[in-house]
Amino acid sequence: MNDPDVVPGGPAEPDLRERLTLVRGRIAQAAAFADRDPGEITTIVVTKFHPVSLIEELHALGVNDVGENRHQEAQAKAEALSALGLTWHFVGQVQGKKARQVRAYAQVIHSVDRPSLVDALASDESTVDCFVQVNLTDDPARGGVAPPDLDSLLERVQATAGLRLLGLMAVAPLGAEPRRAFARVRELGEQARRVAPEAKFLSMGMSQDYPDAISEGATHLRIGTAITGNRPVLG
Ligand SMILES: *Cc1c(COP(=O)(O)O)cnc(C)c1O
C-alpha cells in the first residue's frame, strides 16, 4: 500500500483534508481491529512549527484538539486563535519558570515529569488536566520520570491543588519496537492505577506508530506530520 506519510512533496502530495481523512480511517481501522470504540480515542494534531493558518484550516475540518511543544510558540498561537475554542495540549518539556504561563493557555499538559514541576504548576484558582510522562529510555534528557519514581510522582500530583491527573504519557524510544514500548506503558498504567485510580488515560502514539499505540490501549494520540505534512524547516 502506498503510504502518503512518506510520499515526498510535489504535486502528488495529498492535501490536508486527505491526510486527515486517511489518518482518521486508519485510527478507526486500528480501533476495530483492537475491538475498541474509536469514540474513546482523542486525536491531538501536533501543529508545532506550522503557522496559525494551518490550525485554522484544521479547525474548519473539524479538529478541536491541537498540540504544541514549545512554550513561546504555543502561547502566541493560543492567543491568536482564542476565538476558536480549541483545546490546547502542551506536549513538550516544561521549564519550571514557565509553568504558570503554560497552564494559563493549555487545557492539558502531557509532560509532567518531576516533583519541582508539579510544585510549580500548583494553583488554588483553577484546575488543569495533566499526564505524567514516563521515560522509557535510559537518557534523562528525553524527558519523563524514570519508572521506579513513577508512584511517588503520581502521589505528588494527587496531593497538589489545581492539577487533575488523567494518566500516563510516553514516547516510544527510537529504534525500539513501538508495540513493545506501548505494552510497557500499558503495564505502567495498570500499576499507576493502584495508587491513582483516576489515572485511566494513556497519551501515546505518533505519526509512525499510532496503530500500535491503539492496540495497546492509547486514549490520546499525538499525531503531527501524518496529518500536517512535513514541518517547515526554520532557518
Ligand atoms: C512532535 C511531537 C509529536 C508528533 O510527532 P509526529 O511524528 O510528527 O507525529 C508527538 N508527541 C510529541 C511529544 C512531539 O513533540
Side-chain angles (χ1 to χ4, degrees), residues 29-72:
Q29 206 173 32
F33 191 69
D35 208 7
R36 296 187 54 202
D37 173 5
E40 69 183 31
I41 299 171
T42 300
T43 301
I44 298 151
V45 184
V46 179
T47 48
K48 64 194 183 202
F49 298 93
H50 285 283
V52 158
S53 57
L54 180 114
I55 305 176
E56 289 171 321
E57 286 176 59
L58 286 165
H59 178 255
L61 295 169
V63 169
N64 286 308
D65 290 272
V66 292
E68 291 283 336
N69 75 336
R70 298 187 307 173
H71 162 59
Q72 280 184 325

Side-chain angles (χ1 to χ4, degrees), residues 97-211:
K97 59 179 195 252
K98 302 291 183 196
R100 300 200 70 76
Q101 291 182 48
V102 171
R103 63 166 294 153
Y105 59 80
Q107 284 74 46
V108 191
I109 300 174
H110 289 243
S111 38
V112 174
D113 64 355
R114 59 197 189 277
S116 63
L117 179 58
V118 173
D119 297 350
L121 286 167
S123 168
D124 290 326
E125 274 130 50
S126 62
T127 299
V128 69
D129 287 336
C130 66
F131 287 92
V132 166
Q133 182 179 352
V134 184
N135 190 347
L136 301 175
T137 76
D138 296 327
D139 177 4
R142 294 248 148 221
V145 63
D149 300 326
L150 176 59
D151 282 3
S152 70
L153 191 61
L154 292 166
E155 284 166 0
R156 197 170 187 115
V157 172
Q158 287 180 305
T160 301
L163 295 181
R164 179 166 46 229
L165 180 63
L166 294 187
L168 303 186
M169 179 276 219
V171 176
L174 288 172
E177 177 60 53
R179 177 84 191 248
R180 203 170 291 172
F182 297 138
R184 172 98 174 102
V185 182
R186 183 206 276 274
E187 285 166 17
L188 289 168
E190 285 160 12
Q191 176 194 316
R193 281 193 292 281
R194 292 202 285 268
V195 274
E198 71 274 33
K200 54 183 185 225
F201 298 103
L202 297 176
S203 167
M204 58 189 193
M206 305 175 24
S207 292
Q208 300 304 322
D209 53 27
Y210 64 90

